[in-house]
Amino acid sequence: MSKVMRFFQTGIPKFYKVVVASLFWLILFFLAFLSIFGTCFMDVNEKTYFCSDSVWLNVCAVLVVLLLFIGAKIFRPISVRLKKLEENNAMFLRCRRILLTVLFLLGLIWVLATQYNAISDQYGVQSAAYGIKTEEYSSFELGGYISTYPNQFGLMWISYLFAIIFGSYNYIAFQIMNVFGLVLLYRELSEIGRCFGWNKCIQLLTIVVGILFFPPIMYCSFVYGNIMGLAFSVLAIRLEFVYFQKHRPFYAVGSAASIMVAMLFKSNYLIFFIGMFLYAVVEIIAQKKWKAFLLPLLLVVAFFLQSWAPMAIARQVTGEKLDQSASSWSWIAMGLQSDSQLAPGWYNLYNQESYNESGYNTQRQTEMAKANIAESLHYFWNHKGAAVKFFTEKTASQWNNPTFQCYWITVGHEKLSLMEQSEWVEDFTSPSGAYHGALYLNLLQFIILFGVLIYCIVFWKKPGYSKSLLLGMIFVGGFLFHLVWEAKGQYTLSYFVLLIPLAVAGFSRLTDQILLLGRKKYRAAVPKKMKRNKNSLILFSALTVIMIFAFVICYAGGRGAYLTEDTGAYQQY
């Protein structure tokens, strides 16, 4: 029995590490492959264009980053300051405060300079919150917005509480709250780096990249739960790490409460919840501390509270039954359809039209959606080439869009009162400005993806690697989920941000390995405990060769031409 238990306690964590790491690496490789040879642009109507990319420009961008890392480590005036930073915690905290202040100011300037109004789903949620306040419940009636989309109940109640303090339709206050959420997000990502045992430079560079990667900053003007939900999710992850380190109930309660708030802001953060739950179970088995089941138990309680309480309270307040809503299956059915004018698997009105057609009956719509799903799967099974093309284009359209729709969300917003936006805002958000911004983000996107690929190779045997795979597992979950769910670039942004600290750590470690191959004076810039890892460099070289080989097979052979077929059309646009 003891041998069986011992096998169970060591086998499950190893199985978790191998499976998650393998899936994570394969998906990253696929996305990096898409990113180096092609990219996706989006017009003001949300239509995706599949365009070619410059391989050499992407490679040069990676080389520049490597040279910057190497230069910082061997250039004595900088290396001395970096060493002092590692030894002086007060200096580190001061630098982090400065960087977070810069991030806050950038977000605040963007919010105050744009002052975008809420439209579409954003407005629907705010209108429902106002209806609660004024006892006007049309949004809760059969076919009304909130009745149709019950996943918005959490954000609606948060908006209602927010309106009690700041007033209804106070978009500026909500957007400023997003700015605080942005700061919390990158502070927690920095803190997670400390949980993994990374040095202080990596923790600070995570925030620096957060400043350079501006889509989340632009999303601060989005009157929705994206930023706040992500911030609380990352806070929950960090508290989970601390709980399994210190085993204090306070951190378990904080972690469960944070992920509950995240799911209230946006139900998509259920993927983060599932990842946290699975990680908790694996960690309990690995540590052999069964009392740590407190956290999974609290996570389950948090899940049921956020899924049950908002609707139950709404029923009590409005007197409406709220028992018929758009079926979740309709989003899957829509995600497997190729007739969207935007891109394969994107929004095409199916969920709303099928709900109307069903007579606002959830069960009837579910049956319709399942029949359409079966039809799509049957078609894909009998047309393998079409299936590959569909899922490749769907994946590229939402994961290889370097802006993650940060420019598109600015389209169609009416400005508050009579405010006239600054010239720089109009230039920045114009089609020309969006194009140049996308070119910059396209390079940064490939740099991040490449950095995480390297991280997966060079950190494989490091103590904090298994712990960091929680971020990888959530990323894998998001990728698999959006293979079948409705596609959207704004959905995938939350998962991509998780890659930033891993990418920074990957580049830092790779440059250490490169310096170890150099002269003795360069090796002195590397931490003394660092050992030369020839396997890492071999795998790094193999990665480059495999990517070139894949390019020859797919692109030179014409099999992946559809991923660049819109280049001319976009140039014309």
Side-chain angles (χ1 to χ4, degrees):
M1 183 65 182
S2 59
K3 289 183 178 180
V4 174
M5 284 299 297
R6 205 176 300 119
F7 174 79
F8 180 75
Q9 290 172 343
T10 57
I12 294 296
K14 286 181 179 179
F15 178 79
Y16 156 79
K17 179 179 179 180
V18 171
V19 171
V20 174
S22 300
L23 288 174
F24 187 38
W25 197 90
L26 288 172
I27 291 171
L28 285 169
F29 178 82
F30 178 59
L31 295 180
F33 173 73
L34 293 178
S35 179
I36 193 172
F37 300 119
T39 191
C40 292
F41 294 104
M42 181 173 286
D43 66 15
V44 294
N45 297 314
E46 207 178 3
K47 175 179 169 57
T48 295
Y49 293 84
F50 299 93
C51 302
S52 60
D53 201 354
S54 171
V55 177
W56 298 114
L57 199 57
N58 282 311
V59 171
C60 287
V62 168
L63 292 176
V64 167
V65 173
L66 287 172
L67 289 174
L68 288 174
F69 269 87
I70 292 173
K73 291 178 179 181
I74 65 175
F75 186 54
R76 186 167 178 77
I78 298 178
S79 62
V80 169
R81 286 179 172 81
L82 293 179
K83 185 177 180 181
K84 188 180 297 184
L85 179 68
E86 295 296 332
E87 298 170 350
N88 190 331
N89 194 57
M91 180 181 177
F92 162 73
L93 293 175
R94 185 166 61 251
C95 290
R96 190 173 71 174
R97 280 195 298 269
I98 292 172
L99 290 173
L100 291 175
T101 300
V102 171
L103 190 66
F104 176 81
L105 291 175
L106 288 174
L108 185 65
I109 290 171
W110 174 253
V111 163
L112 296 179
T114 54
Q115 297 193 25
Y116 289 129
N117 208 336
I119 61 173
S120 189
D121 290 315
Q122 305 164 70
Y123 180 78
V125 173
Q126 299 301 315
S127 180
Y130 181 72
I132 290 285
K133 191 175 180 181
T134 58
E135 300 183 5
E136 198 284 304
Y137 304 133
S138 60
S139 183
F140 299 84
E141 296 173 357
L142 192 63
Y145 178 79
I146 288 294
S147 176
T148 302
Y149 305 113
N151 59 298
Q152 303 284 26
F153 271 114
L155 181 58
M156 182 206 68
W157 282 117
I158 291 174
S159 300
Y160 171 74
L161 296 174
F162 199 79
I164 292 176
I165 302 173
F166 298 103
S168 300
Y169 301 111
N170 190 340
Y171 304 132
I172 294 295
F174 193 101
Q175 291 161 344
I176 291 176
M177 177 183 68
N178 281 340
V179 177
F180 282 101
L182 181 73
V183 173
L184 174 63
L185 164 63
Y186 282 104
R187 182 194 180 279
E188 292 305 313
L189 282 176
S190 173
E191 282 289 296
I192 284 177
R194 185 162 65 91
C195 294
F196 297 159
W198 296 343
N199 62 49
K200 293 181 174 63
C201 290
I202 294 176
Q203 296 174 48
L204 291 179
L205 281 174
T206 296
I207 304 174
V208 172
V209 177
I211 294 172
L212 298 175
F213 183 66
F214 59 77
I217 297 175
M218 293 180 68
Y219 267 91
C220 288
S221 65
F222 206 44
V223 187
Y224 219 40
N226 302 55
I227 294 297
M228 292 302 299
L230 180 57
F232 276 99
S233 294
V234 175
L235 172 61
I237 291 170
R238 200 263 298 178
L239 291 175
E240 181 175 26
F241 288 145
V242 177
Y243 171 71
F244 281 111
Q245 179 184 355
K246 299 184 177 180
H247 298 283
R248 295 178 185 172
F250 169 79
Y251 295 109
V253 173
S255 179
S258 296
I259 195 62
M260 181 179 70
V261 172
M263 290 187 287
L264 286 172
F265 268 104
K266 195 167 178 62
S267 59
N268 289 37
Y269 291 107
L270 174 63
I271 304 294
F272 285 67
F273 166 84
I274 294 172
M276 289 177 60
F277 183 85
L278 293 176
Y279 173 80
V281 173
V282 172
E283 194 67 18
I284 289 169
I285 294 172
Q287 293 189 9
K288 307 173 188 178
K289 293 187 177 180
W290 309 112
K291 291 182 179 180
F293 261 111
L294 173 64
L295 179 56
L297 179 63
L298 289 175
L299 287 175
V300 171
V301 172
F303 170 76
F304 282 108
L305 272 177
Q306 65 84 30
S307 61
W308 167 79
M311 184 179 288
I313 297 171
R315 286 196 181 106
Q316 187 68 29
V317 171
T318 65
E320 297 288 342
K321 292 183 179 180
L322 300 174
D323 58 350
Q324 299 296 326
S325 60
S327 171
S328 298
W329 289 95
S330 65
W331 271 268
I332 299 176
M334 182 165 58
L336 295 175
Q337 294 172 357
S338 57
D339 60 349
S340 173
Q341 296 180 353
L342 309 178
W346 283 60
Y347 186 72
N348 63 0
L349 297 174
Y350 173 85
N351 55 352
Q352 184 63 58
E353 290 177 350
S354 60
Y355 185 52
N356 295 341
E357 187 179 339
S358 70
Y360 306 123
N361 184 288
T362 305
Q363 183 58 36
R364 202 173 302 156
Q365 188 194 21
T366 298
E367 294 172 0
M368 293 169 57
K370 287 182 177 180
N372 290 133
I373 291 170
E375 183 181 335
S376 296
L377 294 177
H378 182 265
Y379 175 80
F380 290 145
W381 180 257
N382 292 314
H383 300 82
K384 305 295 194 301
V388 171
K389 182 176 185 292
F390 174 86
F391 286 107
T392 304
E393 285 189 331
K394 182 181 180 182
T395 298
S397 65
Q398 56 184 335
W399 293 96
N400 199 26
N401 176 346
T403 68
F404 295 92
Q405 294 188 270
C406 68
Y407 284 98
W408 176 80
I409 64 169
T410 68
V411 176
H413 293 266
E414 297 177 357
K415 296 187 283 289
L416 288 176
S417 65
L418 298 175
M419 189 198 103
E420 183 176 348
Q421 289 180 341
S422 301
E423 186 176 338
W424 73 267
V425 174
E426 294 181 351
D427 290 341
F428 184 71
T429 56
S430 67
S432 176
Y435 170 69
H436 289 96
L439 292 179
Y440 159 75
L441 290 172
N442 178 52
L443 294 175
L444 186 56
Q445 181 186 42
F446 179 73
I447 290 170
I448 292 172
L449 288 171
F450 191 86
V452 185
L453 274 174
I454 297 304
Y455 172 84
C456 293
I457 295 173
V458 298
F459 272 85
W460 172 257
K461 294 185 178 180
K462 295 301 167 186
Y465 184 74
S466 293
K467 189 182 293 186
S468 70
L469 282 178
L470 171 55
L471 303 183
M473 180 163 54
I474 292 171
F475 187 88
V476 170
F479 181 88
L480 297 177
F481 177 72
H482 286 288
L483 271 180
V484 295
W485 196 260
E486 175 204 9
K488 228 173 181 58
Q490 63 168 282
Y491 296 157
T492 58
L493 175 65
S494 300
Y495 307 103
F496 189 81
V497 170
L498 297 181
L499 301 181
I500 291 176
L502 303 181
V504 173
F507 275 107
S508 179
R509 180 76 180 185
L510 177 62
T511 50
D512 285 339
Q513 291 296 322
I514 292 173
L515 288 173
L516 283 174
L517 298 176
R519 297 179 180 177
K520 187 175 181 179
K521 64 176 182 179
Y522 296 146
R523 294 199 294 270
V526 180
K528 293 182 180 179
K529 61 182 179 180
M530 187 77 67
K531 295 181 180 179
R532 187 180 302 177
N533 189 340
K534 294 181 180 180
N535 291 334
S536 296
L537 295 174
I538 291 172
L539 288 171
F540 167 68
S541 303
L543 170 65
T544 306
V545 173
I546 292 171
M547 194 166 286
I548 293 172
F549 179 74
F551 167 72
V552 173
I553 294 296
C554 294
Y555 282 86
R559 296 182 181 180
Y562 54 83
L563 290 173
T564 59
E565 63 184 1
D566 296 329
T567 305
Y570 184 73
Q571 289 175 348
Q572 185 177 2
Y573 163 77

